[in-house]
Amino acid sequence: MTDRENENLVGDIDGLIGYISFEGKEYIDIRYKKEVVPVPKRERHHVIYKLLEDNCDVIFCTDQKNDDFMFECREQFVIFAVDGGGNCFGTIGGMGDINDDNYPVGYVCHEGLSGRIANNFREFMELVNFYPFWYDILKFEKMGINYSISELENERIEFNSKYLEQQEEIAKILNLNKNNDSIKLLISNLKDKPKFTVYGLDEEHNPYQNLL
């Protein structure tokens, strides 16, 4: 049997664009399902973006392109921000905003890790504003290390004397309230199924590992 005779191309399966099998070996045919949505130029001067960068390490996109992010996804992934390490945040399944609760927020790391970190954009903003050390908590959880949220917060205050003032200003601008369950929601989102699945753009298209 020739390769062509043994090839099966199927339509959208489990959110994938295509699925190919050659002699029993499976390949994922990933088309571009991610996109970068930058902040409109007319809005970039707004103080909120500087505050989010300084206090939360969330840098909203301006000139980033699809090719800057070497991965693909099972679902549509709309990248709206990066952090200081170039890891990215995006809404899953479509483009969402702070008044739209239809699209969860995912996070993709250079280290081959990814996961759904919030149920919607507002939940995400509450997480990063009031718990900007959320990623440190994930590392502690993964390694089974005890941690104290109050101690992590005190470290931020000691490092940045304007931390609480800026946190309050972000909350006021975006009409956010502190959710004491933000970390529980973060962990629950990462453990719940279906997982947010990301693939590398190497020949094997290996899936990224879940953040937790």
Side-chain angles (χ1 to χ4, degrees):
M1 182 179 291
T2 66
D3 284 348
R4 180 166 295 278
E5 288 173 331
N6 196 45
E7 176 180 346
N8 295 302
L9 180 60
V10 184
D12 195 355
I13 298 178
D14 292 334
L16 291 173
I17 290 296
Y19 178 92
I20 304 174
S21 174
F22 288 100
E23 297 180 353
K25 187 170 183 180
E26 299 173 357
Y27 296 86
I28 297 167
D29 178 25
I30 299 175
R31 314 283 171 82
Y32 285 100
K33 300 193 76 171
K34 70 174 187 291
E35 59 180 310
V36 179
V37 177
V39 175
K41 290 183 179 180
R42 65 182 180 276
E43 296 181 12
R44 294 178 188 177
H45 68 281
H46 197 292
V47 65
I48 189 63
Y49 298 110
K50 180 62 175 172
L51 289 168
L52 289 168
E53 179 176 352
D54 291 345
N55 237 46
C56 310
D57 194 25
V58 175
I59 307 162
F60 275 72
C61 293
T62 53
D63 57 0
Q64 290 85 355
K65 307 295 182 185
N66 273 3
D67 290 344
D68 295 333
F69 305 99
M70 301 302 292
F71 62 85
E72 279 303 334
C73 314
R74 278 181 181 262
E75 303 149 281
Q76 183 182 8
F77 188 55
V78 183
I79 299 169
F80 60 81
V82 297
D83 61 19
N87 309 302
C88 64
F89 305 95
T91 49
I92 302 167
M95 188 186 304
D97 59 30
I98 202 160
N99 297 312
D100 185 348
D101 60 3
N102 291 323
Y103 303 111
V105 175
Y107 181 66
V108 182
C109 301
H110 289 309
E111 294 83 4
L113 300 170
S114 64
R116 185 178 61 249
I117 61 173
N119 285 307
N120 52 64
F121 193 81
R122 178 174 292 279
E123 186 180 297
F124 164 75
M125 295 307 306
E126 291 171 345
L127 173 69
V128 298
N129 187 41
F130 295 106
Y131 304 91
F133 38 80
W134 62 273
Y135 192 73
D136 293 327
I137 288 177
L138 289 185
K139 290 191 289 186
F140 294 143
E141 288 276 347
K142 201 166 187 176
M143 294 185 290
I145 297 175
N146 292 328
Y147 59 88
S148 165
I149 289 177
S150 60
E151 288 180 5
L152 290 169
E153 188 165 48
N154 287 334
E155 289 176 5
R156 293 279 173 150
I157 295 170
E158 291 175 6
F159 180 75
N160 178 8
S161 61
K162 294 184 177 180
Y163 170 77
L164 292 177
E165 177 186 337
Q166 292 175 330
Q167 184 182 83
E168 184 177 352
E169 189 171 0
I170 292 169
K172 183 177 181 180
I173 293 171
L174 298 179
N175 192 27
L176 301 176
N177 295 307
K178 186 172 184 178
N179 186 343
N180 293 325
D181 290 330
S182 281
I183 298 301
K184 289 181 181 178
L185 287 169
L186 167 68
I187 293 171
S188 174
N189 268 297
L190 290 170
K191 290 184 175 181
D192 285 350
K193 294 181 179 179
K195 305 289 188 182
F196 170 50
T197 307
V198 173
Y199 297 90
L201 288 181
D202 53 14
E203 292 182 357
E204 299 296 327
H205 292 309
N206 289 320
Y208 282 27
Q209 293 183 1
N210 196 47
L211 280 164
L212 193 59

